Amino acid sequence: MGTKGATPTTTATVKRLCLLVVVAALAAACGSASGQSSGLPNPMGLQGALRSPPLAKPDFTLTDTSDQPFNLQTGTAGDVTLLYFGYTNCPDVCPTTMADIALGLLKVSATVRSHVKVVFVTTDPNRDTPTVIRKWLNAFNPSFIGLTGTTAEIAAAEASVGLPPATVVPLGNGNYSVDHAAFVLAFTADNQAHVEYPSGFTDNTWAHDLPRLVKGIPAATT
């Protein structure tokens, strides 16, 4: 994807574009299932939920919005990586999550932004073409990485982080929503996800946690 880190835009622009995405969405609500978390000691004061044990960054390759292969491990090496599975027709959780991350990135230093990559994997490959994903992500931040693939490839990517495959929920008249896990996995530079963020965390949480995640997780918390 070429661009390292998140490109600053104005807070007003992100909020306005997020609202347009939400209003335009046609599908029903996303799922909200969360992965494992624990009440581990939290000396860094992170607001996200610490995982026990941490999750290794998976080695999957999907197709990015330039129609090029993108390997998660090599494409995000050395950076904090926020991994999220969702779909562009989601009317609430997905656009809100992307907007909150984008707004949080506006509140941290350029140095921190340069060490953060946001990776969005669609759970609706039939509708989310590379072009559709790119246009949708650009509403939040043009540096956000969008990935797609076959249904089997995406299911395998979900399984690699311990998630069940997303499921299609018919709504009638040919419409459908997609039920999927709605939380962000935060991989630090050691290629481990020590923290996860279920839906509901705001931009203030990202502004608080991202500098700490970029700094790194002390060994005592792993």
Side-chain angles (χ1 to χ4, degrees), residues 163-197:
L163 299 180
T167 57
V168 171
V169 180
L171 300 176
N173 298 319
N175 296 318
Y176 63 89
S177 65
V178 180
D179 189 15
H180 64 91
F183 63 94
V184 179
L185 287 167
F187 295 90
T188 41
D190 63 354
N191 290 324
Q192 301 285 321
H194 300 271
V195 195
E196 65 182 38
Y197 297 83

Side-chain angles (χ1 to χ4, degrees), residues 5-200:
T7 303
T9 56
T10 67
T11 300
T13 297
V14 173
K15 286 182 175 178
R16 182 170 62 254
L17 291 174
C18 175
L19 178 61
L20 290 174
V21 171
V22 174
V23 170
L26 300 176
C30 298
S32 59
S34 176
Q36 300 179 31
S37 62
S38 72
L40 295 174
N42 193 350
M44 296 180 67
L46 292 166
Q47 294 179 9
L50 295 181
R51 293 182 57 97
S52 179
L55 175 71
K57 183 186 290 183
D59 183 21
F60 63 72
T61 298
L62 293 172
T63 302
D64 68 17
T65 54
S66 297
D67 287 314
Q68 298 299 311
F70 185 93
N71 179 268
L72 186 68
Q73 284 191 0
T74 60
T76 61
D79 290 323
V80 168
T81 303
L82 306 181
L83 177 64
Y84 184 81
F85 290 83
Y87 68 116
T88 69
N89 278 282
C90 173
D92 41 35
V93 177
C94 299
T96 299
T97 298
M98 292 296 104
D100 282 333
I101 294 173
L103 289 169
L105 283 164
L106 292 176
K107 297 181 178 182
V108 302
S109 69
T111 299
V112 169
R113 283 196 298 270
S114 73
H115 290 289
V116 176
K117 283 190 168 69
V118 178
V119 179
F120 173 88
V121 180
T122 183
T123 55
D124 185 14
N126 291 329
R127 292 183 294 193
D128 285 347
T129 64
T131 299
V132 168
I133 297 170
R134 183 72 271 147
K135 182 177 180 181
W136 188 78
L137 289 177
N138 284 350
F140 307 107
N141 189 303
S143 78
F144 285 5
I145 298 164
L147 302 179
T148 187
T150 66
T151 300
E153 289 170 337
I154 293 168
E158 290 172 302
S160 72
V161 292
L163 299 180
T167 57
V168 171
V169 180
L171 300 176
N173 298 319
N175 296 318
Y176 63 89
S177 65
V178 180
D179 189 15
H180 64 91
F183 63 94
V184 179
L185 287 167
F187 295 90
T188 41
D190 63 354
N191 290 324
Q192 301 285 321
H194 300 271
V195 195
E196 65 182 38
Y197 297 83
S199 59

